[in-house]
């Protein structure tokens, strides 16, 4: 039974509104009043915290186990404000981490994790048991993950060089930053062409080695020739790139390796957009619940199922920690039976909406 004496659909709607549409509880409270229903923001927060911990956490932990089995992973992190953390000031930064599967052809797995700090040990703990390629930004904390082979994000390399181009000098090829961008732009173009032309990972690897490796080598040779003014934006860019030099060519080793960390940044963006509306989490329990529900929401999106109906489905099935992995697999959003059921529910809802609106008038 759900906590809070509310239906699965009602609790799922509250979750959907906040974690998919970015609608804070206080605005939902006002919205409910428009329909003559008194549901306080505290009640809604309690529904989300208790039900996500009881019924979504088993799914979350199952997704986590499945991620650790994969050979390609990606990560990102962003600040979060939590007001009432023990022995910490309200203004102190906490963090929401994003871990996801890579571009290896398997079903996408996306997991959020709340932590009080940005310490690299958080990544070490979460990725304990993972062995494979890890795509992430330049944060050195990921270096602590023992069995992960780091790959560099070429999108971050490009951003640093873009920032180093003097204003109005984007077409001035005497500028070192512009010269560096020529290499980067060529790599991005080649990557797009190769990805669109080949579906086989072996073919992608072969094409990268043939077409992209010489460009990477040329870029590194260019990099060694740079001697920018100390403290300049170009100096900052060169330092950033040199510090990640050993990871720049790693993606060439396997066609399943990602060229950039854009997938992770896209996956964490819903949280950063929602944060602009609700600004902070009140308690660590609320932050943890946010991580769990955002995981369910983004897992539904990534696997192509309707978010609201998937949340409702889980709250009806009530997965718990006594279920085996085989049983939890039957509730995963990539499961074909689940996909068919969610699609059926979504179609029925759409048809009900059309029926309520009435048939469109016909011209005489």
């Amino acid at each position: 039974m759900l906590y809070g004496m509310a239906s699965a659909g009602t609790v799922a709607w509250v979750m959907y509104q906040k974690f998919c549409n970015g609608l804070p509880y206080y605005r939902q409270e006002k919205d409910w009043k428009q329909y003559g229903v008194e549901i306080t923001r505290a009640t809604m927060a309690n529904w989300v915290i208790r039900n996500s911990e009881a019924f979504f956490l088993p799914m979350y932990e199952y997704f986590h186990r499945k991620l650790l089995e994969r050979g390609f992973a990606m990560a990102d992190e962003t600040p979060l404000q939590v007001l009432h953390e023990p022995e910490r000031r309200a203004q102190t930064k906490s963090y929401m981490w994003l871990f996801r599967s890579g571009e290896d052809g398997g079903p996408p797995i996306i997991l959020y994790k709340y932590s009080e700090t940005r310490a690299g040990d958080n990544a070490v703990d979460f990725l304990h048991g993972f062995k494979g390629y890890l795509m992430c930004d330049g944060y050195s904390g990921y270096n602590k993950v023992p069995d992960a082979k780091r790959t560099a994000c070429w999108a971050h390399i490009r951003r640093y060089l873009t920032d180093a181009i003097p204003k109005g000098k984007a077409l001035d090829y005497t500028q070192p930053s512009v010269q560096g961008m020529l290499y980067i732009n060529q790599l991005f173009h080649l990557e797009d062409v190769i990805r669109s032309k080949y579906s086989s990972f072996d073919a992608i690897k072969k094409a990268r080695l043939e077409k992209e490796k010489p460009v990477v080598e040329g870029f590194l040779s260019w990099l060694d020739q740079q001697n920018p003014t100390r403290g300049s934006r170009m100096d900052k860019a060169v330092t950033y790139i040199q510090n990640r030099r050993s990871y720049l060519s790693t993606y060439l080793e396997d066609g399943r390796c990602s060229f950039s960390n854009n997938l992770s940044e896209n996956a964490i963006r819903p949280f950063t957009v929602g944060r602009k509306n609700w600004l902070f989490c009140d308690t660590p329990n609320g932050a943890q619940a946010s991580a769990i529900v955002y995981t369910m929401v983004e897992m539904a999106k990534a696997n192509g199922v309707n978010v609201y109906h998937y949340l409702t489905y889980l709250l009806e099935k009530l997965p718990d920690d006594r279920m085996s992995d085989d049983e939890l697999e039957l509730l995963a959003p990539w499961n074909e039976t689940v996909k068919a059921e969610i699609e059926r529910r979504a179609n029925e809802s759409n048809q009900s909406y059309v029926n309520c609106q009435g048939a469109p008038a016909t011209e005489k």
Side-chain angles (χ1 to χ4, degrees):
M1 179 183 293
L2 291 182
Y3 291 99
M5 301 299 290
S7 69
T10 299
V11 176
W13 183 252
V14 169
M15 292 175 170
Y16 175 77
Q17 287 287 68
K18 179 173 182 181
F19 300 101
C20 195
N21 293 337
L23 198 64
Y25 295 137
Y26 77 90
R27 288 174 59 188
Q28 291 194 54
E29 182 180 323
K30 293 178 181 178
D31 195 44
W32 283 108
K33 283 184 179 179
Q34 296 294 318
Y35 297 95
V37 180
E38 294 284 343
I39 305 177
T40 68
R41 65 196 74 176
T43 295
M44 286 184 276
N46 188 56
W47 286 353
V48 171
I49 291 171
R50 298 193 68 184
N51 286 297
S52 63
E53 181 178 353
F55 308 119
F56 285 179
L57 185 57
M59 293 302 303
Y60 179 97
E61 292 175 341
Y62 173 64
F63 295 150
H64 187 191
R65 291 192 292 274
K66 298 298 288 184
L67 176 65
L68 296 179
E69 294 174 0
R70 305 281 277 269
F72 299 82
M74 310 174 81
D76 200 3
E77 73 289 331
T78 190
L80 164 70
Q81 185 178 8
V82 181
L83 297 185
H84 297 104
E85 291 175 316
E87 301 180 3
R88 303 185 91 213
R89 298 173 60 211
Q91 297 84 358
T92 305
K93 280 185 182 180
S94 298
Y95 281 85
M96 188 67 79
W97 299 69
L98 185 285
F99 298 93
R100 63 159 297 149
S101 55
E103 300 175 84
D104 57 1
I109 298 175
I110 298 173
L111 294 157
Y112 287 81
K113 180 187 185 298
Y114 151 71
S115 70
E116 289 186 352
T117 72
R118 198 191 183 198
D121 289 342
N122 290 294
V124 172
D125 292 342
F126 196 84
L127 293 175
H128 178 70
F130 171 77
K131 296 181 180 180
Y133 291 92
L134 177 63
M135 165 59 74
C136 47
D137 60 20
Y139 176 46
S140 61
Y142 293 109
N143 293 338
K144 294 183 177 181
V145 181
D147 295 315
K149 191 165 190 178
R150 288 280 302 272
T151 58
C153 173
W154 280 92
H156 278 78
I157 304 297
R158 180 168 63 177
R159 285 173 206 165
Y160 273 81
L161 282 174
T162 300
D163 290 343
I165 298 175
K167 188 174 182 180
K169 300 290 186 178
L171 298 178
D172 183 355
Y173 299 124
T174 65
Q175 295 291 328
S177 51
V178 175
Q179 296 167 4
M181 283 296 293
L182 293 177
Y183 289 100
I184 303 294
N185 290 339
Q186 187 177 2
L187 283 175
F188 271 89
H189 171 70
L190 288 171
E191 189 67 14
D192 287 341
V193 170
I194 291 170
R195 286 282 186 176
S196 64
K197 187 175 182 179
Y198 302 106
S199 57
S200 160
F201 294 125
D202 288 339
I204 290 173
K205 176 184 176 179
K206 182 179 179 181
R208 280 174 168 175
L209 291 173
E210 179 183 345
K211 303 293 185 181
E212 295 182 22
K213 185 179 179 182
V215 180
V216 173
E217 291 173 344
F219 176 76
L220 294 177
S221 178
W222 165 86
L223 183 66
D224 289 337
Q225 298 171 31
Q226 303 311 305
N227 187 28
T229 302
R230 187 174 179 84
S232 66
R233 285 182 295 176
M234 187 60 182
D235 180 49
K236 183 178 180 181
V238 168
T239 300
Y240 178 88
I241 300 169
Q242 288 285 20
N243 287 342
R244 288 144 191 89
R245 183 189 183 100
S246 60
Y247 312 137
L248 292 178
S249 301
T250 308
Y251 82 99
L252 297 170
E253 295 178 4
D254 196 299
R256 292 167 291 182
C257 284
S258 298
F259 180 68
S260 76
N261 202 31
N262 287 344
L263 280 181
S264 288
E265 295 187 354
N266 291 339
I268 206 170
R269 188 168 292 119
F271 171 80
T272 60
V273 171
R275 183 181 57 196
K276 293 179 181 178
N277 293 322
W278 44 260
L279 300 179
F280 56 82
C281 289
D282 190 50
T283 66
N285 285 341
Q288 174 66 8
S290 294
I292 295 172
V293 181
Y294 266 117
T295 294
M296 299 304 128
V297 167
E298 295 307 313
M299 283 291 293
K301 289 181 185 178
N303 287 276
V305 300
N306 181 281
V307 174
Y308 168 69
H309 288 293
Y310 184 62
L311 296 177
T312 304
Y313 179 79
L314 289 180
L315 291 171
E316 290 173 353
K317 297 299 182 180
L318 304 179
D320 60 47
D321 55 13
R322 294 170 296 180
M323 287 185 172
S324 66
D325 281 3
D326 288 341
E327 292 173 306
L328 294 170
E329 170 69 20
L330 298 177
L331 303 178
W334 57 72
N335 183 281
E336 291 302 324
T337 301
V338 173
K339 284 191 168 188
E341 172 61 17
I342 301 305
E343 183 177 6
R344 182 191 67 78
R345 294 184 182 204
N347 289 337
E348 285 186 357
S349 293
N350 292 339
Q351 188 58 50
S352 296
Y353 177 79
V354 171
N355 292 339
C356 287
Q357 295 300 307
T362 57
E363 295 183 3
K364 293 184 179 179

